[in-house]
Amino acid sequence: VSARFQTAVCDLLGIEHPILQSGMGRIAGPELVAKVCNAGGLGILAGLHLPPAELRRQIAQVRALTERPFGVNLWLHEALQPPTPVATLDERELAAVQAVLNRFRERLGAPAVHARPAPVPDLIDEAFEVILEERVPVFSVGLGDPERERSDRCHERGIRVIAMAATVADAKILEASGVDAIVAQGAEAGGHRSTWIKPATRDAACIGTIALVPQVVDSVRVPVIAAGGIVDGRGLVAALALGAQAVMLGTRFVATQESMAPAFFKQALLERNSDQTLVTDVYTGLYARGLRNRFAEEYEASRTGVLPPLVQSNAAQDVYAAALRKGDGDYYPMLAGQACGSIADTPSAADVVRAIMAEAERVRA
Ligand SMILES: Cc1cc2nc3c(=O)[nH]c(=O)nc-3n(C[C@H](O)[C@H](O)[C@H](O)COP(=O)(O)O)c2cc1C
């Protein structure tokens, strides 16, 4: 592969190819991350909800598998910072949510629940200290603003900071916080919409990648990484044409051998078309794009509200666990983007990186 895809982001992050694999909770573990790094991209470990000792152990595992730079992703959303609003939950709201979830529990053979969900664990500060102590090469932020202080503390240790925004206004805030590069997340993207305050509607902060990326490029001085709907070399070349200096892929890497996604999730990605995703807050209380399933459709149809951000996912945790045990994708959040319709195989993550670069070479020949 020639050096013509070597961009400023490659130099910044110390990588060969301008391809980043996004941190994805319960999907991007050490094996996936190291595979992407060894193939010349940047693998990013999912740090969300990991207790500090476990995060440290997984960082060590990545280091045992690759000598190349890698990233660790955290959400910095306000919902993860105390106080969690569990004690003050409205009894009627909670009863309504549990009534919907109990329908699902019954079908899964799980016991009914009426109790308050567990509070959201307060792990962010400790996880961030682990990232600093371990001098992780790249700190990747989703759903949050690291603010000047966190960026400075990373830079003092030679850690690069990248953060994800879904609007031009948020991209400017991240730039003012001193991040080294901004991920512009288009509406096509799988997973949560990257905002740090829950938007009023599911359509807010949902701008298509092709509209968003050039606007962000024109609005900030730091390099921009395009995310949302990109799965192949055509997508990479298109993103570069829009002014991005790299791409970040999530959905494509879910359907790889090294991904920790359950088999039914990978299989669903092969089968689903691009019109079978939706943006909904019923899974976690925050808006996220995932594959349509009975959980989302029946919950939405019930017109029941959702509990506060991440309290909703805590309430449904036992439903997801039961669905996982049964291999039942109808009651498990399968977060994925609109590009799912382009995914037809489950290769090694290294082959994904190689195929994207080979195709990009041909497209730009
Ligand atoms: C299953 C899944 C889990 C995700 N989890 C995270 C996460 O924990 N942190 C984060 O910053 N982004 C997360 N993302 C979003 C990605 O960073 C990125 O915006 C998105 O995957 C890009 O769009 P694509 O899915 O079309 O490639 C996740 C995406 C998916 C599909």
Side-chain angles (χ1 to χ4, degrees):
V1 174
S2 68
R4 66 188 170 143
F5 290 104
Q6 275 269 334
T7 67
V9 165
C10 293
D11 299 337
L12 178 77
L13 304 179
I15 54 178
E16 199 181 334
H17 307 309
I19 299 173
L20 287 73
Q21 160 259 308
S22 79
M24 297 183 277
R26 296 177 188 205
I27 290 173
E31 289 195 351
L32 176 59
V33 170
K35 202 51 130 192
V36 172
C37 294
N38 286 332
L42 188 84
I44 302 176
L45 188 67
L48 177 68
H49 295 326
L50 294 186
E54 176 61 16
L55 179 58
R56 210 184 285 276
R57 196 185 65 80
Q58 292 199 16
I59 290 170
Q61 255 181 297
V62 173
R63 289 199 155 118
L65 295 170
T66 185
E67 293 185 345
R68 302 209 181 181
F70 62 95
V72 174
N73 175 264
L74 293 181
W75 288 21
L76 297 178
H77 197 278
E78 59 179 9
L80 288 157
Q81 321 267 352
T84 321
V86 167
T88 55
L89 281 185
D90 181 86
E91 285 295 339
R92 278 174 47 201
E93 261 179 68
L94 176 63
V97 170
Q98 292 292 23
V100 179
L101 297 177
N102 280 335
R103 284 204 325 246
F104 302 152
R105 290 179 179 117
E106 195 183 342
R107 290 179 210 159
L108 291 162
V113 175
H114 301 282
R116 284 169 191 278
V120 181
D122 174 17
L123 298 169
I124 294 294
D125 289 339
E126 284 172 282
F128 182 63
E129 293 305 322
V130 170
I131 287 170
L132 293 176
E133 285 167 26
E134 293 288 333
R135 292 182 189 262
V136 161
V138 179
F139 176 37
S140 150
V141 180
L143 288 82
D145 172 8
E147 301 183 351
R148 192 41 89 165
E149 194 198 325
R150 281 203 178 101
S151 296
D152 286 349
R153 292 187 69 199
C154 285
H155 291 150
E156 282 161 17
R157 286 162 185 79
I159 300 169
R160 303 293 189 190
V161 185
I162 64 174
M164 191 159 65
T167 65
V168 168
D170 282 354
K172 287 181 175 168
I173 291 172
L174 294 176
E175 181 181 42
S177 294
V179 306
D180 299 293
I182 290 170
V183 182
Q185 184 201 43
E188 298 93 318
H192 284 82
R193 306 298 313 141
S194 192
T195 59
W196 43 96
I197 297 164
K198 185 178 176 180
T201 68
R202 72 186 73 205
D203 306 319
C206 249
I207 303 149
T209 303
I210 206 162
L212 179 68
V213 170
Q215 291 182 50
V216 174
V217 167
D218 289 346
S219 308
V220 298
R221 278 173 302 264
V222 293
V224 173
I225 298 160
I230 301 162
V231 291
D232 57 21
R234 295 171 293 184
L236 169 59
V237 172
L240 296 175
L242 295 174
Q245 311 245 23
V247 292
M248 177 185 275
L249 281 61
T251 303
R252 174 62 270 190
F253 284 110
V254 176
T256 58
Q257 284 163 26
E258 297 82 4
S259 135
M260 300 189 298
F264 64 80
F265 185 1
K266 294 184 189 180
Q267 185 60 31
L269 279 175
L270 305 184
E271 291 166 1
R272 297 299 186 95
N273 298 321
S274 286
D275 60 349
Q276 289 170 304
T277 73
L278 85 171
V279 174
T280 183
D281 59 354
V282 302
Y283 291 125
T284 62
L286 287 169
Y287 293 110
R289 188 182 292 283
L291 299 181
R292 286 184 175 276
N293 61 7
R294 292 185 73 176
F295 185 102
E297 289 191 335
E298 285 191 34
Y299 198 116
E300 294 253 357
S302 77
R303 303 201 161 269
T304 306
V306 297
L307 299 175
L310 304 181
V311 178
Q312 176 77 6
S313 30
N314 277 2
Q317 216 43 252
D318 64 311
V319 175
Y320 304 152
L324 185 61
R325 279 195 301 275
K326 294 193 141 198
D328 187 346
D330 260 322
Y331 300 96
Y332 186 84
M334 297 187 286
L335 300 185
Q338 290 181 332
C340 61
S342 301
I343 294 173
D345 55 2
T346 313
S348 153
D351 287 336
V352 169
V353 174
R354 275 195 286 270
I356 291 173
M357 293 316 298
E359 187 179 42
E361 288 282 346
R362 289 197 300 277
V363 170
R364 220 200 232 179

